[in-house]
Amino acid sequence: MTHSAKVDLHAHSNCSDGSLTPAELVQRAATAGVDMLALTDHDTVAGLDEAQSAGGLAGVRIVPGVEISASWRSQAIHVLGLWIDPASARLQSALGSQAERRRVRMRKICAALSDLGLPGAALLAAVEAQPGLPTRSHLAAALVAGGHVGRTDHAFRKYLGAGAAAHIAAQWPALAEVVAWIRDAGGIASLAHPARYALSAGGRRQLLADFVAAGGGALEVVTGGNGAQHSEACAMLAMKFGLLGSVGSDFHDPQFTWNPLGRLAKLPDCVIPVWRSHA
Ligand code: AMP
Ligand code: MN
Ligand code: MN
Ligand code: MN
């Protein structure tokens, strides 16, 4: 695995809020020329076996991954676990609790939608009919399908996003706890899409300091949709905090043409690739 190999360490399947099955995702990665792909579904490892088998057939190296929801100073933070052992008993039990938190929150959000005059029970049923662990993306899609909003981003703005009418703050476990699960499962914890959190520059540095203190090992320096300027700034942060650099599209759906699988800027040379020891 050379520095110029095509690597994408952040992608979703329909085991969470992606639209493709794990096998379809891997096939798409192969077509896009990806050499190494991490399947990182939200709070579940359910797709990893299928992805590994498909990767063996398609010639794509599959990194067993997960994207775990955590909280830090009452913000939701996403931590990628890369090269995890999905059979880890502690991780499995932790992900079981995460799944339950997701189901409880989804019921609460749908109850809040009912209070707003929307058909909460039918929306909940639509989300629960999906194969994946429930996320707000599924609910946004159900709101679009029911004609309640025109587009998923409107669903977030009007109902589901922070400060919106049916927003329910999730009770995610602390960042340090999530990092500990990942390390316990033999994985490397990588902080996902660092620019996406509503934080000041100082807040972001504090987040990174706490992440490192908890045992975090990498930063997603190159993320889907972000430009070279963003990558350079994140590379500086990775160097400052002694973190390895990760690259990931956060691919969800081929219809999101602005965020394709495996088409990512190069990791700046000043950062050590998180996959180097797995070459
Ligand atoms: P959850 O983990 O249930 O809170 O759902 C979060 C998921 O919703 C993210 O992983 C994104 O895929 C999606 N999402 C969050 N905010 C937006 C938004 N404004 N527009 C579209 N999708 C979003
Ligand atoms: Mn998502
Ligand atoms: Mn995320
Ligand atoms: Mn993601």
Side-chain angles (χ1 to χ4, degrees), residues 68-116:
I68 306 184
S69 313
S71 70
W72 180 80
R73 295 188 177 177
S74 69
Q75 273 244 16
I77 302 291
H78 287 177
V79 185
L80 299 169
L82 300 172
W83 290 280
I84 48 155
D85 173 7
S88 153
R90 186 175 177 199
L91 181 66
Q92 288 212 341
S93 135
L95 294 181
S97 318
Q98 293 289 84
E100 188 54 25
R101 282 188 189 95
R102 284 192 167 278
R103 286 188 278 266
V104 168
R105 179 175 65 140
M106 188 55 65
R107 288 197 289 270
K108 286 186 185 164
I109 300 173
C110 289
L113 289 171
S114 289
D115 290 345
L116 293 168

Short mmCIF file of all heavy atoms in Angstrom, two decimals, residues 68-116:
data_model
loop_
_atom_site.label_atom_id
_atom_site.label_comp_id
_atom_site.label_asym_id
_atom_site.label_seq_id
_atom_site.Cartn_x
_atom_site.Cartn_y
_atom_site.Cartn_z
N ILE A 68 -18.69 5.95 15.75
CA ILE A 68 -19.43 5.94 17.01
C ILE A 68 -19.80 7.36 17.43
O ILE A 68 -18.97 8.28 17.36
CB ILE A 68 -18.62 5.23 18.12
CG1 ILE A 68 -18.20 3.82 17.66
CG2 ILE A 68 -19.44 5.14 19.40
CD1 ILE A 68 -17.49 3.00 18.71
N SER A 69 -21.04 7.53 17.85
CA SER A 69 -21.53 8.82 18.31
C SER A 69 -21.14 9.00 19.77
O SER A 69 -21.39 8.12 20.60
CB SER A 69 -23.06 8.89 18.20
OG SER A 69 -23.48 8.43 16.94
N ALA A 70 -20.52 10.16 20.07
CA ALA A 70 -20.06 10.44 21.42
C ALA A 70 -20.49 11.85 21.79
O ALA A 70 -20.99 12.60 20.93
CB ALA A 70 -18.53 10.34 21.47
N SER A 71 -20.31 12.21 23.06
CA SER A 71 -20.60 13.60 23.40
C SER A 71 -19.39 14.21 24.09
O SER A 71 -18.64 13.53 24.81
CB SER A 71 -21.85 13.71 24.28
OG SER A 71 -21.59 13.19 25.55
N TRP A 72 -19.20 15.46 23.81
CA TRP A 72 -18.13 16.24 24.41
C TRP A 72 -18.68 17.65 24.63
O TRP A 72 -19.11 18.28 23.66
CB TRP A 72 -16.91 16.27 23.49
CG TRP A 72 -15.75 17.05 24.04
CD1 TRP A 72 -14.84 16.63 24.97
CD2 TRP A 72 -15.39 18.39 23.69
NE1 TRP A 72 -13.94 17.62 25.22
CE2 TRP A 72 -14.24 18.72 24.46
CE3 TRP A 72 -15.91 19.35 22.82
CZ2 TRP A 72 -13.62 19.96 24.37
CZ3 TRP A 72 -15.30 20.58 22.73
CH2 TRP A 72 -14.15 20.88 23.50
N ARG A 73 -18.69 18.08 25.87
CA ARG A 73 -19.25 19.39 26.21
C ARG A 73 -20.61 19.61 25.54
O ARG A 73 -20.84 20.62 24.87
CB ARG A 73 -18.28 20.51 25.80
CG ARG A 73 -16.99 20.46 26.59
CD ARG A 73 -16.14 21.66 26.32
NE ARG A 73 -14.94 21.66 27.14
CZ ARG A 73 -13.98 22.57 27.05
NH1 ARG A 73 -14.10 23.56 26.18
NH2 ARG A 73 -12.93 22.51 27.81
N SER A 74 -21.46 18.61 25.69
CA SER A 74 -22.83 18.61 25.17
C SER A 74 -22.93 18.73 23.64
O SER A 74 -23.99 19.00 23.10
CB SER A 74 -23.71 19.65 25.87
OG SER A 74 -23.32 20.95 25.53
N GLN A 75 -21.82 18.50 22.94
CA GLN A 75 -21.84 18.43 21.47
C GLN A 75 -21.78 16.96 21.05
O GLN A 75 -21.05 16.19 21.68
CB GLN A 75 -20.57 19.07 20.92
CG GLN A 75 -20.64 20.53 20.71
CD GLN A 75 -20.49 20.89 19.24
OE1 GLN A 75 -20.64 20.05 18.35
NE2 GLN A 75 -20.23 22.14 18.98
N ALA A 76 -22.46 16.61 19.98
CA ALA A 76 -22.30 15.27 19.41
C ALA A 76 -21.03 15.26 18.57
O ALA A 76 -20.83 16.12 17.71
CB ALA A 76 -23.50 14.90 18.56
N ILE A 77 -20.15 14.30 18.87
CA ILE A 77 -18.86 14.16 18.17
C ILE A 77 -18.81 12.75 17.59
O ILE A 77 -19.24 11.79 18.25
CB ILE A 77 -17.69 14.34 19.17
CG1 ILE A 77 -17.74 15.71 19.86
CG2 ILE A 77 -16.34 14.10 18.49
CD1 ILE A 77 -17.47 16.90 18.99
N HIS A 78 -18.30 12.63 16.36
CA HIS A 78 -18.22 11.31 15.74
C HIS A 78 -16.78 10.80 15.76
O HIS A 78 -15.87 11.47 15.28
CB HIS A 78 -18.74 11.37 14.30
CG HIS A 78 -20.23 11.50 14.24
ND1 HIS A 78 -20.94 11.64 13.08
CD2 HIS A 78 -21.16 11.50 15.24
CE1 HIS A 78 -22.23 11.71 13.36
NE2 HIS A 78 -22.40 11.64 14.66
N VAL A 79 -16.62 9.61 16.32
CA VAL A 79 -15.29 9.00 16.41
C VAL A 79 -15.28 7.74 15.55
O VAL A 79 -16.10 6.83 15.74
CB VAL A 79 -14.94 8.64 17.86
CG1 VAL A 79 -13.50 8.11 17.94
CG2 VAL A 79 -15.11 9.84 18.79
N LEU A 80 -14.34 7.70 14.62
CA LEU A 80 -14.20 6.50 13.80
C LEU A 80 -13.32 5.51 14.53
O LEU A 80 -12.27 5.89 15.07
CB LEU A 80 -13.53 6.85 12.46
CG LEU A 80 -14.29 7.83 11.57
CD1 LEU A 80 -13.39 8.29 10.42
CD2 LEU A 80 -15.56 7.20 11.02
N GLY A 81 -13.75 4.27 14.57
CA GLY A 81 -12.90 3.19 15.05
C GLY A 81 -12.42 2.44 13.83
O GLY A 81 -13.22 1.90 13.07
N LEU A 82 -11.09 2.42 13.61
CA LEU A 82 -10.53 1.75 12.42
C LEU A 82 -9.71 0.55 12.86
O LEU A 82 -9.04 0.60 13.89
CB LEU A 82 -9.66 2.74 11.64
CG LEU A 82 -10.39 4.00 11.13
CD1 LEU A 82 -9.39 5.00 10.54
CD2 LEU A 82 -11.44 3.64 10.09
N TRP A 83 -9.74 -0.49 12.08
CA TRP A 83 -9.05 -1.76 12.39
C TRP A 83 -9.52 -2.30 13.75
O TRP A 83 -8.73 -2.81 14.54
CB TRP A 83 -7.53 -1.60 12.36
CG TRP A 83 -7.01 -1.40 10.98
CD1 TRP A 83 -6.79 -2.36 10.05
CD2 TRP A 83 -6.67 -0.15 10.36
NE1 TRP A 83 -6.34 -1.78 8.88
CE2 TRP A 83 -6.25 -0.43 9.05
CE3 TRP A 83 -6.68 1.18 10.79
CZ2 TRP A 83 -5.85 0.57 8.15
CZ3 TRP A 83 -6.29 2.17 9.91
CH2 TRP A 83 -5.87 1.85 8.60
N ILE A 84 -10.80 -2.18 13.99
CA ILE A 84 -11.37 -2.74 15.22
C ILE A 84 -11.60 -4.24 15.03
O ILE A 84 -11.76 -4.72 13.90
CB ILE A 84 -12.72 -2.08 15.56
CG1 ILE A 84 -13.61 -2.06 14.30
CG2 ILE A 84 -12.55 -0.69 16.15
CD1 ILE A 84 -15.06 -2.00 14.56
N ASP A 85 -11.64 -4.95 16.14
CA ASP A 85 -12.09 -6.33 16.12
C ASP A 85 -13.58 -6.32 16.45
O ASP A 85 -13.97 -6.05 17.59
CB ASP A 85 -11.33 -7.14 17.17
CG ASP A 85 -11.88 -8.56 17.30
OD1 ASP A 85 -12.76 -8.93 16.48
OD2 ASP A 85 -11.45 -9.26 18.23
N PRO A 86 -14.43 -6.59 15.44
CA PRO A 86 -15.88 -6.48 15.68
C PRO A 86 -16.38 -7.50 16.68
O PRO A 86 -17.48 -7.37 17.21
CB PRO A 86 -16.50 -6.69 14.29
CG PRO A 86 -15.44 -7.28 13.44
CD PRO A 86 -14.11 -6.97 14.05
N ALA A 87 -15.56 -8.51 16.97
CA ALA A 87 -15.98 -9.54 17.93
C ALA A 87 -15.67 -9.14 19.37
O ALA A 87 -16.04 -9.86 20.30
CB ALA A 87 -15.31 -10.86 17.61
N SER A 88 -15.02 -8.01 19.57
CA SER A 88 -14.71 -7.56 20.94
C SER A 88 -15.98 -7.52 21.78
O SER A 88 -16.96 -6.87 21.42
CB SER A 88 -14.07 -6.16 20.87
OG SER A 88 -14.32 -5.45 22.07
N ALA A 89 -15.94 -8.21 22.92
CA ALA A 89 -17.14 -8.31 23.76
C ALA A 89 -17.55 -6.93 24.28
O ALA A 89 -18.73 -6.59 24.31
CB ALA A 89 -16.89 -9.27 24.91
N ARG A 90 -16.55 -6.13 24.69
CA ARG A 90 -16.88 -4.82 25.24
C ARG A 90 -17.49 -3.91 24.16
O ARG A 90 -18.47 -3.20 24.40
CB ARG A 90 -15.62 -4.17 25.82
CG ARG A 90 -15.92 -2.86 26.54
CD ARG A 90 -14.67 -2.32 27.20
NE ARG A 90 -14.93 -1.03 27.83
CZ ARG A 90 -13.96 -0.18 28.16
NH1 ARG A 90 -12.70 -0.48 27.92
NH2 ARG A 90 -14.24 0.97 28.73
N LEU A 91 -16.90 -3.97 22.97
CA LEU A 91 -17.44 -3.15 21.87
C LEU A 91 -18.85 -3.59 21.51
O LEU A 91 -19.76 -2.77 21.34
CB LEU A 91 -16.52 -3.25 20.65
CG LEU A 91 -16.95 -2.41 19.44
CD1 LEU A 91 -16.88 -0.91 19.74
CD2 LEU A 91 -16.09 -2.72 18.21
N GLN A 92 -19.05 -4.89 21.43
CA GLN A 92 -20.39 -5.39 21.08
C GLN A 92 -21.43 -4.95 22.09
O GLN A 92 -22.53 -4.52 21.71
CB GLN A 92 -20.35 -6.92 20.99
CG GLN A 92 -19.60 -7.40 19.75
CD GLN A 92 -20.14 -8.69 19.21
OE1 GLN A 92 -20.84 -9.43 19.90
NE2 GLN A 92 -19.84 -8.98 17.96
N SER A 93 -21.06 -5.03 23.36
CA SER A 93 -22.03 -4.63 24.38
C SER A 93 -22.27 -3.13 24.31
O SER A 93 -23.41 -2.65 24.42
CB SER A 93 -21.52 -5.11 25.74
OG SER A 93 -21.64 -4.12 26.70
N ALA A 94 -21.20 -2.34 24.07
CA ALA A 94 -21.35 -0.89 23.95
C ALA A 94 -22.23 -0.52 22.75
O ALA A 94 -23.09 0.35 22.84
CB ALA A 94 -19.97 -0.25 23.81
N LEU A 95 -22.01 -1.21 21.63
CA LEU A 95 -22.82 -0.89 20.44
C LEU A 95 -24.28 -1.31 20.64
O LEU A 95 -25.19 -0.69 20.09
CB LEU A 95 -22.22 -1.54 19.18
CG LEU A 95 -20.85 -1.00 18.77
CD1 LEU A 95 -20.35 -1.67 17.50
CD2 LEU A 95 -20.86 0.52 18.59
N GLY A 96 -24.49 -2.34 21.46
CA GLY A 96 -25.86 -2.72 21.82
C GLY A 96 -26.55 -1.56 22.54
O GLY A 96 -27.72 -1.25 22.26
N SER A 97 -25.82 -0.91 23.46
CA SER A 97 -26.40 0.24 24.17
C SER A 97 -26.63 1.41 23.22
O SER A 97 -27.62 2.13 23.34
CB SER A 97 -25.48 0.72 25.29
OG SER A 97 -24.93 -0.33 25.99
N GLN A 98 -25.70 1.61 22.29
CA GLN A 98 -25.87 2.70 21.31
C GLN A 98 -27.13 2.48 20.47
O GLN A 98 -27.89 3.41 20.20
CB GLN A 98 -24.65 2.79 20.38
CG GLN A 98 -23.37 3.21 21.02
CD GLN A 98 -23.33 4.67 21.42
OE1 GLN A 98 -23.81 5.04 22.48
NE2 GLN A 98 -22.75 5.51 20.58
N ALA A 99 -27.35 1.23 20.07
CA ALA A 99 -28.52 0.92 19.25
C ALA A 99 -29.80 1.23 20.03
O ALA A 99 -30.75 1.81 19.49
CB ALA A 99 -28.49 -0.55 18.84
N GLU A 100 -29.79 0.86 21.31
CA GLU A 100 -30.97 1.13 22.14
C GLU A 100 -31.18 2.64 22.29
O GLU A 100 -32.31 3.13 22.18
CB GLU A 100 -30.80 0.44 23.51
CG GLU A 100 -32.04 0.48 24.38
CD GLU A 100 -33.30 -0.07 23.72
OE1 GLU A 100 -33.20 -0.90 22.78
OE2 GLU A 100 -34.39 0.36 24.12
N ARG A 101 -30.10 3.39 22.50
CA ARG A 101 -30.21 4.86 22.58
C ARG A 101 -30.83 5.41 21.29
O ARG A 101 -31.64 6.32 21.32
CB ARG A 101 -28.83 5.51 22.75
CG ARG A 101 -28.28 5.44 24.14
CD ARG A 101 -27.01 6.28 24.27
NE ARG A 101 -26.42 6.01 25.56
CZ ARG A 101 -25.45 5.12 25.78
NH1 ARG A 101 -24.92 4.45 24.79
NH2 ARG A 101 -25.00 4.90 26.99
N ARG A 102 -30.39 4.86 20.16
CA ARG A 102 -30.93 5.34 18.88
C ARG A 102 -32.42 5.04 18.77
O ARG A 102 -33.20 5.88 18.31
CB ARG A 102 -30.19 4.68 17.70
CG ARG A 102 -28.83 5.28 17.48
CD ARG A 102 -28.22 4.84 16.15
NE ARG A 102 -27.07 5.67 15.86
CZ ARG A 102 -27.12 6.88 15.32
NH1 ARG A 102 -28.27 7.39 14.96
NH2 ARG A 102 -26.02 7.58 15.12
N ARG A 103 -32.83 3.83 19.18
CA ARG A 103 -34.25 3.48 19.08
C ARG A 103 -35.09 4.36 20.01
O ARG A 103 -36.16 4.84 19.62
CB ARG A 103 -34.45 2.00 19.39
CG ARG A 103 -33.97 1.10 18.22
CD ARG A 103 -34.33 -0.35 18.42
NE ARG A 103 -33.40 -1.04 19.29
CZ ARG A 103 -32.34 -1.72 18.86
NH1 ARG A 103 -32.08 -1.83 17.57
NH2 ARG A 103 -31.54 -2.32 19.72
N VAL A 104 -34.60 4.59 21.22
CA VAL A 104 -35.33 5.43 22.19
C VAL A 104 -35.44 6.86 21.64
O VAL A 104 -36.52 7.47 21.66
CB VAL A 104 -34.61 5.42 23.56
CG1 VAL A 104 -35.17 6.50 24.48
CG2 VAL A 104 -34.73 4.04 24.21
N ARG A 105 -34.32 7.39 21.14
CA ARG A 105 -34.36 8.77 20.63
C ARG A 105 -35.30 8.88 19.45
O ARG A 105 -36.05 9.86 19.33
CB ARG A 105 -32.96 9.24 20.22
CG ARG A 105 -33.01 10.68 19.68
CD ARG A 105 -31.65 11.27 19.37
NE ARG A 105 -30.99 10.57 18.30
CZ ARG A 105 -30.28 11.16 17.33
NH1 ARG A 105 -30.14 12.46 17.30
NH2 ARG A 105 -29.70 10.45 16.41
N MET A 106 -35.28 7.88 18.55
CA MET A 106 -36.16 7.94 17.38
C MET A 106 -37.63 7.99 17.81
O MET A 106 -38.42 8.74 17.24
CB MET A 106 -35.89 6.73 16.47
CG MET A 106 -36.59 6.76 15.13
SD MET A 106 -36.27 8.25 14.15
CE MET A 106 -34.52 8.10 13.83
N ARG A 107 -37.98 7.20 18.83
CA ARG A 107 -39.37 7.24 19.32
C ARG A 107 -39.70 8.62 19.88
O ARG A 107 -40.78 9.15 19.64
CB ARG A 107 -39.58 6.16 20.39
CG ARG A 107 -39.62 4.74 19.82
CD ARG A 107 -40.23 3.75 20.78
NE ARG A 107 -39.37 3.45 21.93
CZ ARG A 107 -38.46 2.47 21.97
NH1 ARG A 107 -38.31 1.68 20.92
NH2 ARG A 107 -37.72 2.27 23.04
N LYS A 108 -38.75 9.23 20.59
CA LYS A 108 -38.99 10.57 21.15
C LYS A 108 -39.15 11.61 20.05
O LYS A 108 -40.00 12.50 20.13
CB LYS A 108 -37.83 10.98 22.07
CG LYS A 108 -37.82 10.27 23.40
CD LYS A 108 -36.71 10.87 24.27
CE LYS A 108 -36.57 10.11 25.58
NZ LYS A 108 -35.30 10.42 26.25
N ILE A 109 -38.31 11.52 19.02
CA ILE A 109 -38.41 12.51 17.93
C ILE A 109 -39.77 12.36 17.25
O ILE A 109 -40.43 13.36 16.94
CB ILE A 109 -37.27 12.34 16.90
CG1 ILE A 109 -35.89 12.51 17.54
CG2 ILE A 109 -37.44 13.35 15.77
CD1 ILE A 109 -34.71 12.19 16.61
N CYS A 110 -40.18 11.11 17.01
CA CYS A 110 -41.46 10.90 16.32
C CYS A 110 -42.63 11.37 17.18
O CYS A 110 -43.61 11.91 16.66
CB CYS A 110 -41.61 9.44 15.90
SG CYS A 110 -40.49 9.01 14.55
N ALA A 111 -42.51 11.23 18.51
CA ALA A 111 -43.55 11.76 19.40
C ALA A 111 -43.59 13.29 19.30
O ALA A 111 -44.67 13.89 19.26
CB ALA A 111 -43.27 11.32 20.84
N ALA A 112 -42.41 13.91 19.22
CA ALA A 112 -42.36 15.37 19.07
C ALA A 112 -42.97 15.79 17.74
O ALA A 112 -43.66 16.82 17.66
CB ALA A 112 -40.92 15.85 19.19
N LEU A 113 -42.76 14.99 16.70
CA LEU A 113 -43.37 15.31 15.39
C LEU A 113 -44.89 15.18 15.48
O LEU A 113 -45.62 15.99 14.89
CB LEU A 113 -42.79 14.39 14.31
CG LEU A 113 -41.33 14.65 13.92
CD1 LEU A 113 -40.80 13.55 13.00
CD2 LEU A 113 -41.17 16.02 13.25
N SER A 114 -45.37 14.18 16.23
CA SER A 114 -46.82 14.03 16.42
C SER A 114 -47.39 15.27 17.09
O SER A 114 -48.45 15.78 16.69
CB SER A 114 -47.13 12.82 17.30
OG SER A 114 -46.87 11.63 16.60
N ASP A 115 -46.67 15.77 18.10
CA ASP A 115 -47.12 16.98 18.80
C ASP A 115 -47.21 18.17 17.85
O ASP A 115 -47.97 19.10 18.09
CB ASP A 115 -46.16 17.32 19.96
CG ASP A 115 -46.27 16.32 21.10
OD1 ASP A 115 -47.26 15.55 21.13
OD2 ASP A 115 -45.36 16.30 21.95
N LEU A 116 -46.42 18.12 16.80
CA LEU A 116 -46.45 19.22 15.81
C LEU A 116 -47.50 18.97 14.73
O LEU A 116 -47.59 19.72 13.76
CB LEU A 116 -45.07 19.35 15.15
CG LEU A 116 -43.93 19.83 16.06
CD1 LEU A 116 -42.58 19.64 15.37
CD2 LEU A 116 -44.13 21.29 16.44
#
